[in-house]
Amino acid sequence: TGKEKWPRGDETVWKAAIRGVDTDVPSITKSVVNHVQTSLARQAYNLDDLGAYQAAAMSVRDDLIVNWNETQQHHSRKSQKRAYYLSLEFLMGRTLDNALLNLGLKDKYATGMNQLGFNLEDILEQERDAALGNGGLGRLAACYLDSSASQELPVWGYGLRYKYGIFQQLISPDGGQLEAPDPWLEHDNPWELPRLDVIFDVRFYGHSERLGNGRAIWSGGQEVLAMAYDVMIPGYDTKSTNNLRLWESKPKRGFDLNSFNAGDYERAVESSNSAAAITSVLYPNDHTGFGKELRLKQQYFWTAASLADIMRRFKNLDKPITEFPDYVAIQLNDTHPTLAIPELMRMLVDEEEVPWDTAWQIVTNTFFFTNHTVLPEALEKWPVPLMTTLLPRHMQIIFDINLIFLQAVDKKFPGDREKLAKMSLIEEGFPQSVRMANLACIGSRRVNGVAELHSELVRTTILKDFVDFYGVSKFSNVTNGITPRRWLDQCNPSLSNLISETLKLPKAVFLKDLYKLDGLLEHIDDPTFQKKWAAIKQSNKERLAHHIETTLGFRINTHAMFDVQIKRLHEYKRQTLNIMGVIHRYLTLKDMTPQERTKVNPKVVFFAGKAAPGYYVAKLTIRLIVNVARIINIDPDTKDLLTLYFLPDYSVSLAEVLIPASDISQHISTAGTEASGTSNMKFCLNGGLLLGTVDGANIEIAEEVGESNVFFFGHLTPAVEDLRYQHTYHAVPIEEKCPALARVLDEVAAGRFGDGSVYEPLLNTIRQIDYYLLTEDFDSYIQALRMVDDAYKDRVEWIKKSIRTTAKMGKFSSDRAIQDYAQEYWNIESTKIE
Ligand code: GL7
């Protein structure tokens, strides 16, 4: 406001000394060298690329801190309502390149580093990915942070600072997946600021004593400390810089002094180790609700610390507690943070002495819940005995919420016992368990799915009874989005430049309003533009080939069509369908005469993705892919026409090289199983075409680009249930239903790609129940692949499809998605940081 008094000393001296963001090249080199000398304590003459990266990162960080401080002060001064995005995963990838782009300093740093004898591109490669996530859900959170900051919205992320991110994937000599830890913090992380002053106590175990007035006292047990690390999130083309706060667990006492004095050193450090373990590792499972005690501990630790922090910030505003929802909106990214609901109840009722009903009013106006999957195995359930031991007060609160809720249900649907049983927060069984999705649903103001079809499935399947109870308006859709800064400008700078030149618009215009890409359609028939477009795709294919040759030693034919499937290995995503399709293509090629083969388009198929370490069938699929590659890539009859690569250790950074190089990418989940998918959007934004099922966001992509620009195949969602029923009760032998697939399976079993018996369990998933319906979709899949081949032969048409696809991606910017959340759900406003 300018009215505050300068706290101490001479204001003019302070003001002259306060650092602004100095953006001229000499200031940049000065700051980098300064960090080399002081922060790194190294000499300029023996600096390597890693040191240069670290110094450049710290120099950029200085700028971010200035903006970040100003942004936070500004939001506080204006007492603005803020939104908090609680996510157990933030899959950030690398930061330096993104920060430079968002700050508009990339060229200047390139020049400055060049003057110091370094190549910026090489330096960028030194950074390790921050891989605090499994896949789509975690990367979505990262895109949403970028969009929030870019749109100048007061949004914070809250997550955990795992010491080890998602495991590194190695391929063993037999072709299987091996896991190694990801010690990503080994080289120090310049992008985080430890906040020694932001520390909270978090309690586990102990006992809860009811006081008779609705309140209780929870005491005893184990207390650990949550310490904050702040990660600055720069907006694009704005000063606005948001915060991602990650919690680290620490022991409350370094060690137990009594045991120490008694000489029992192991015992002395035991509790300290158990406290530190809470944030030691990211769980490498996705789409699974199966969790262990440590996972529940992580969830509570994180939600308790985050809520304590949010409450403290709210209290600084000096407003009545009933106004909490006017200043705070909390988005629950899937059910993982659902404990925030009973935790806020506990804080309000037990600590703030708010009456139960008022507290529930506050809670249900604060939270918003996003569901990310309808797969039954992913619905989180926690055993009541575990919850009672670990969080005795929360278990009481959940029972109380349930009692009141079920009374209301009974009133609305008198005597409908089945409904009560289905809607209860407690699932009967041995033991009983707490249904987290039900709790998230009733404790939130709104519930949303992540694509139109998915949101409809949420309404009509997993949360149907809740729709009947609350009415449909509580349940809506926000289709996912991706940030065009990283997924166009950063990963494909030449395409971004061409778009800018063609539209005659500065990049900042279309990178902030992606609908502007629509203007490309005017140029779609211009042969010069088409040539430039095709040349960029070609150079991206060469960039990928170069990357593969330098990292793995394979030489890739860049004149072939590049066909890419990159995502977590999961049966529902059907990498098996793809590999069976590859084998089918191989067998077909083998059956051809040399003359016939001359008419075939060469193709290179890429796979990448990790399997959950305990997911046997998924790991077997990787092994099959690798071993098929080993055979077909050296077959002299076919190797010029078909090769296959499994690229190990898929990551955000690898995606940034793969996606711009793709001609066609595969999104082939069984209809109704992939909630949205987000890489489909990334491929399309980079001019890659899509081969997919009528599922998730594929449908909305087709609505935008036109069905003739997408290669669709397979059964539709409504058919899936009936087909599964038939598979169970009226199974038709695979030889009859799908001879082409039967032949492929037989070849695998017969040992054409190494010991066939190894793959029996995988083949049986298809031969027996075939839950994911490969036998139903295989023929139409092969037909779709053929259509892709035919379409690719007409290069001009293909390029036009590619241009059209990019041009119609406006809807899929995460800026649009985050605006939906901000306006429809959180009710927060943008503010310019001057
Ligand atoms: C997922 C969905 O499977 C995926 O389709 C979606 O795009 C993503 C983000 O909404 O969320 N759900 C889920 O549990 N994981 C996902 O990636 C792990």
Side-chain angles (χ1 to χ4, degrees):
T1 61
K3 285 196 200 114
E4 304 102 339
K5 277 188 59 190
W6 200 256
R8 60 164 64 191
D10 186 335
E11 183 174 341
T12 43
V13 174
W14 270 99
K15 288 208 163 146
I18 281 177
R19 195 180 185 286
V21 178
D22 300 318
T23 58
D24 53 300
V25 176
S27 300
I28 287 171
T29 46
K30 190 171 164 195
S31 140
V32 171
V33 172
N34 194 18
H35 279 295
V36 173
Q37 292 184 305
T38 58
S39 311
L40 300 178
R42 292 183 68 167
Q43 302 291 338
Y45 68 83
N46 67 358
L47 194 69
D48 55 7
D49 276 356
L50 178 61
Y53 156 70
Q54 287 170 324
M58 282 189 276
S59 158
V60 172
R61 183 181 77 173
D62 290 342
D63 294 347
L64 293 182
I65 292 175
V66 173
N67 290 347
W68 175 80
N69 259 325
E70 268 174 44
T71 309
Q72 300 316 319
Q73 270 181 38
H74 184 85
H75 292 157
S76 300
R77 250 191 254 130
K78 286 193 66 182
S79 302
Q80 267 191 290
K81 181 172 186 184
R82 300 190 208 226
Y84 298 99
Y85 197 83
L86 267 59
S87 180
L88 210 40
E89 303 189 5
F90 287 94
L91 190 43
M92 305 297 281
R94 289 177 176 151
T95 294
L96 180 55
D97 198 8
N98 184 249
L100 288 173
L101 283 170
N102 282 9
L103 290 167
L105 293 178
K106 188 159 178 186
D107 292 344
K108 288 187 178 152
Y109 266 82
T111 311
M113 293 314 288
N114 208 289
Q115 290 173 357
L116 298 175
F118 292 93
N119 176 318
L120 184 62
E121 293 305 321
D122 296 339
I123 289 171
L124 297 176
E125 290 289 313
Q126 294 295 316
E127 182 173 355
R128 282 200 184 207
D129 276 37
L132 307 186
N134 274 284
L137 175 142
R139 182 55 230 177
L140 183 76
C143 283
Y144 282 177
L145 291 181
D146 181 82
S147 281
S148 303
S150 299
Q151 312 222 18
E152 310 178 313
L153 289 163
V155 175
W156 281 37
Y158 274 110
L160 290 181
R161 180 182 182 269
Y162 304 106
K163 193 166 164 202
Y164 297 96
I166 189 73
F167 63 86
Q168 278 179 41
Q169 179 191 54
L170 308 166
I171 300 300
S172 70
D174 69 12
Q177 168 180 292
L178 294 176
E179 299 93 22
D182 164 39
W184 71 292
L185 293 167
E186 218 170 45
H187 289 154
D188 231 34
N189 174 12
W191 304 111
E192 64 179 14
L193 298 169
R195 308 301 318 223
L196 298 165
D197 54 329
V198 184
I199 294 197
F200 294 98
D201 286 358
V202 178
R203 185 187 307 281
F204 293 103
Y205 310 105
H207 47 269
S208 170
E209 195 184 323
R210 289 192 188 258
L211 297 179
N213 52 0
R215 296 175 53 210
I217 294 177
W218 178 25
S219 57
Q222 175 195 17
E223 276 183 283
V224 300
L225 296 180
M227 181 180 132
Y229 283 76
D230 285 344
V231 180
M232 293 140 284
I233 309 294
Y236 173 73
D237 196 30
T238 163
K239 268 192 150 189
S240 179
T241 304
N242 281 343
N243 196 21
L244 166 60
R245 182 158 281 182
L246 302 177
W247 300 105
E248 183 188 52
S249 60
K250 285 164 130 8
K252 198 154 178 190
R253 275 170 223 87
F255 47 70
D256 166 8
L257 203 57
N258 289 333
S259 308
F260 185 79
N261 288 339
D264 188 348
Y265 300 132
E266 271 168 42
R267 179 96 183 257
V269 294
E270 209 173 71
S271 81
S272 120
N273 287 345
S274 89
I278 298 174
T279 54
S280 61
V281 61
L282 166 80
Y283 272 84
N285 303 323
D286 68 351
H287 297 94
T288 164
F290 170 75
K292 299 222 193 299
E293 179 168 339
L294 184 62
R295 169 84 168 188
L296 187 59
K297 269 192 148 174
Q298 290 186 335
Q299 295 187 347
Y300 179 64
F301 171 81
W302 154 58
T303 51
S306 306
L307 273 177
D309 197 34
I310 292 168
M311 183 60 88
R312 188 180 61 171
R313 197 165 305 116
F314 171 74
K315 287 196 165 176
N316 284 339
L317 298 172
D318 217 9
K319 302 281 180 191
I321 192 80
T322 46
E323 289 180 19
F324 190 81
D326 300 333
Y327 294 91
V328 176
I330 301 177
Q331 188 69 39
L332 305 175
N333 198 28
D334 217 281
T335 53
H336 317 147
T338 303
L339 284 170
I341 289 168
E343 173 66 3
L344 185 55
M345 282 303 281
R346 187 192 68 76
M347 293 165 79
L348 293 171
V349 173
D350 296 353
E351 290 173 1
E352 306 297 325
E353 304 189 23
V354 175
W356 179 278
D357 291 344
T358 314
W360 186 243
Q361 254 334 113
I362 294 172
V363 165
T364 51
N365 279 312
T366 299
F367 290 105
F368 300 86
F369 165 48
T370 306
N371 168 281
H372 290 268
T373 176
V374 296
L375 295 190
E377 65 268 33
L379 294 181
E380 280 192 298
K381 284 171 197 156
W382 290 106
V384 168
L386 172 61
M387 191 93 102
T388 309
T389 312
L390 193 68
L391 301 167
R393 177 57 181 143
H394 298 79
M395 198 59 247
Q396 288 174 340
I397 290 172
I398 291 169
F399 278 128
D400 290 354
I401 294 173
N402 199 36
L403 182 72
I404 298 168
F405 173 66
L406 291 182
Q407 281 167 354
V409 174
D410 191 51
K411 204 162 162 198
K412 181 144 189 170
F413 306 105
D416 191 339
R417 300 202 132 223
E418 203 184 318
K419 234 189 175 84
L420 288 179
K422 280 193 290 178
M423 294 176 79
S424 174
L425 300 184
I426 307 297
E427 185 171 273
E428 294 308 323
F430 304 98
Q432 292 179 312
S433 47
V434 184
R435 295 165 167 155
M436 302 310 267
N438 291 16
L439 179 54
C441 173
I442 76 170
S444 297
R445 189 182 163 111
R446 299 282 294 274
V447 177
N448 75 285
V450 292
E452 290 290 349
L453 171 69
H454 167 66
S455 297
E456 184 57 18
L457 290 172
V458 168
R459 285 189 290 258
T460 53
T461 63
I462 56 173
L463 296 180
K464 178 179 182 308
D465 295 307
F466 295 87
V467 173
D468 295 344
F469 179 73
Y470 289 107
V472 73
S473 62
K474 175 167 170 160
F475 302 84
S476 37
N477 172 250
V478 181
T479 298
N480 283 166
I482 57 169
T483 169
R485 273 73 65 180
R486 183 176 294 261
W487 297 110
L488 174 58
D489 195 42
Q490 186 183 321
C491 71
N492 201 345
S494 349
L495 191 66
S496 189
N497 290 338
L498 176 63
I499 292 171
S500 168
E501 167 197 319
T502 310
L503 297 178
K504 300 199 171 59
L505 289 175
K507 282 181 181 182
V509 175
F510 61 87
L511 292 177
K512 286 198 286 189
D513 175 6
L514 203 62
Y515 286 104
K516 286 276 180 325
L517 294 185
D518 201 84
L520 292 172
L521 292 180
E522 272 175 44
H523 307 269
I524 200 165
D525 293 313
D526 170 1
T528 331
F529 176 57
Q530 292 169 356
K531 278 209 187 76
K532 288 184 184 167
W533 190 269
I536 287 169
K537 181 61 77 185
Q538 188 58 34
S539 71
N540 286 327
K541 288 163 83 166
E542 274 148 27
R543 181 177 69 164
L544 172 63
H546 176 76
H547 176 83
I548 293 174
E549 192 168 350
T550 50
T551 53
L552 301 171
F554 299 120
R555 304 200 81 187
I556 312 277
N557 172 10
T558 56
H559 296 288
M561 178 202 287
F562 280 16
D563 176 334
V564 183
Q565 188 180 19
I566 47 175
K567 45 186 88 232
R568 278 302 279 256
L569 267 285
H570 205 295
E571 284 168 283
Y572 88 84
K573 293 180 188 281
R574 301 202 292 191
Q575 281 92 353
T576 7
L577 183 60
N578 188 347
I579 188 63
M580 297 305 166
V582 172
I583 297 172
H584 180 268
R585 191 181 185 92
Y586 172 67
L587 298 175
T588 312
L589 285 170
K590 290 291 277 181
D591 290 344
M592 286 178 176
T593 64
Q595 177 60 26
E596 284 168 325
R597 284 188 201 130
T598 58
K599 295 191 199 104
V600 177
N601 266 325
K603 179 159 147 174
V604 184
V605 178
F606 298 95
F607 282 92
K610 295 176 183 178
Y615 193 167
Y616 181 66
V617 174
K619 290 177 114 172
L620 213 44
T621 309
I622 294 179
R623 191 160 164 187
L624 179 61
I625 296 168
V626 171
N627 284 301
V628 171
R630 285 174 180 169
I631 298 294
I632 71 172
N633 290 0
I634 55 167
D635 187 326
D637 293 341
T638 60
K639 71 179 173 41
D640 294 334
L641 297 177
L642 178 63
T643 47
L644 165 65
Y645 299 93
F646 184 90
L647 307 179
D649 206 30
Y650 183 49
S651 64
V652 171
S653 292
L654 183 56
E656 288 170 14
V657 194
L658 271 161
I659 289 171
S662 143
D663 294 305
I664 186 97
S665 66
Q666 303 207 23
H667 310 271
I668 56 178
S669 49
T670 313
T673 62
E674 186 70 274
S676 163
T678 42
S679 76
N680 43 9
M681 303 166 187
K682 295 167 194 167
F683 281 104
C684 290
L685 183 56
N686 286 279
L689 303 191
L690 201 147
L691 166 60
T693 45
V694 186
D695 201 15
N698 292 353
I699 300 171
E700 286 156 78
I701 289 175
E703 273 166 22
E704 297 299 303
V705 306
E707 277 210 25
S708 58
N709 286 281
V710 169
F711 301 91
F712 268 144
F713 73 95
H715 285 281
L716 306 186
T717 302
V720 167
E721 219 174 297
D722 288 348
L723 289 168
R724 281 183 181 156
Y725 181 86
Q726 283 173 31
H727 282 214
T728 314
Y729 299 104
H730 310 282
V732 178
I734 182 172
E735 289 72 17
E736 248 171 71
K737 183 185 284 162
C738 188
L741 181 57
R743 179 181 174 210
V744 171
L745 300 190
D746 289 346
E747 292 283 347
V748 175
R752 186 135 183 184
F753 308 103
D755 184 359
S757 66
V758 168
Y759 303 109
E760 276 309 311
L762 173 63
L763 303 180
N764 285 341
T765 62
I766 304 169
R767 284 184 178 138
Q768 288 163 10
I769 301 289
D770 190 22
Y771 188 75
Y772 294 103
L773 306 179
L774 274 77
T775 54
E776 298 293 339
D777 284 348
F778 190 75
D779 289 336
S780 77
Y781 176 60
I782 295 299
Q783 204 180 336
L785 284 167
R786 234 174 261 138
M787 285 170 66
V788 173
D789 284 326
D790 289 343
Y792 197 68
K793 282 183 189 144
D794 187 342
R795 295 313 283 273
V796 172
E797 264 314 301
W798 183 276
I799 293 163
K800 283 162 77 171
K801 281 182 195 293
S802 165
I803 295 170
R804 188 177 170 76
T805 301
T806 302
K808 300 306 279 182
M809 281 304 110
K811 171 175 171 181
F812 302 101
S813 168
S814 45
D815 295 347
R816 183 271 311 148
I818 219 69
Q819 273 303 333
D820 267 15
Y821 283 107
Q823 288 169 19
E824 284 281 309
Y825 296 68
W826 306 333
N827 193 22
I828 57 168
E829 280 169 13
S830 303
T831 35
K832 188 124 223 102
I833 310 300
E834 298 303 343

